[in-house]
Amino acid sequence: MTSQGDDYQTSLLSGVDDSGGDDDEVRQGGLGLGLLILRVGLAAIVGAHGLQHLFGAFHGPGIAGFAHVLETFGYHKQTTLLSWITGIVEVGGSALLLVGLFTPLAAAGILGVAANAVYAKFHGGFFVGDGRGWEFELLIGVVALALIFTGAGRISLEKNTPWRRRPLPLGIVSLLLAAAASVVVIVLAR
């Protein structure tokens, strides 16, 4: 005979919570709200950066200006194309995060962008205030990494998707895609 605690631990390990208790509903409700806040916050920040890069919104550089910024960080090949890809990933990934759809893949795109930014700025120092520090990009990447494995939560459009019930397989695939994309960009554009 197993206890309720053993059932709960087993359900956590399997990725499916089938305990259905009232306490669990309260805990899951808080978790869903917390993930919503995390998703919306990340989407707002990264989406605004994407709009700066694509359209020059919020006093941003636009495509041509962002291509020049990329050159200053060591990207010398196809910087205009890389500017478009970065902006589209930032805006598109943010839109998906905002509504909670394909969250692991959207977060993987944002993680890939953040990883490239950290790589490009790594030798500039962690806290340097002239735009060469990489602590902000690291934080964006860590939040995106967490969302890859947690998924969107209950308050999302992916409420009834297979990856919400079992987030680990798609999370691993998404992480591998982010890593591969980052390496491809570094190899081809630097």
Side-chain angles (χ1 to χ4, degrees):
M1 184 166 154
T2 62
S3 69
Q4 186 178 8
D6 291 339
D7 290 340
Y8 182 70
Q9 288 176 347
T10 302
S11 68
L12 282 177
L13 293 175
S14 70
V16 176
D17 185 9
D18 56 2
S19 60
D22 289 334
D23 290 340
D24 189 52
E25 289 296 318
V26 171
R27 185 184 63 80
Q28 289 296 322
L31 180 62
L33 181 59
L35 288 172
L36 174 66
I37 292 167
L38 195 63
R39 283 190 355 252
V40 169
L42 183 63
I45 293 167
V46 174
H49 276 269
L51 292 173
Q52 284 185 312
H53 298 154
L54 286 177
F55 307 113
F58 311 112
H59 307 289
I63 291 295
F66 186 50
H68 177 69
V69 169
L70 289 174
E71 288 175 2
T72 66
F73 285 112
Y75 294 93
H76 298 295
K77 302 173 194 165
Q78 302 293 329
T79 55
T80 301
L81 177 62
L82 186 57
S83 298
W84 277 104
I85 291 170
T86 301
I88 289 169
V89 167
E90 289 172 332
V91 170
S94 294
L96 290 172
L97 284 180
L98 193 60
V99 297
L101 187 61
F102 301 111
T103 301
L105 295 173
I110 291 170
L111 176 60
V113 170
N116 273 281
V118 168
Y119 179 82
K121 293 180 169 187
F122 190 76
H123 295 293
F126 190 71
F127 291 115
V128 178
D130 64 355
R132 299 234 174 236
W134 47 272
E135 77 281 1
F136 174 72
E137 289 83 2
L138 181 64
L139 179 61
I140 295 293
V142 168
V143 172
L145 180 62
L147 286 172
I148 285 174
F149 290 107
T150 63
R154 285 188 162 183
I155 307 171
S156 69
L157 292 180
E158 63 186 25
K159 185 174 182 178
N160 295 318
T161 59
W163 59 85
R164 183 179 176 279
R165 290 188 296 277
R166 295 215 181 259
L168 190 59
L170 184 57
I172 291 171
V173 168
S174 298
L175 180 60
L176 292 174
L177 287 173
S182 293
V183 169
V184 166
V185 167
I186 289 168
V187 168
L188 294 180
R190 288 185 68 90

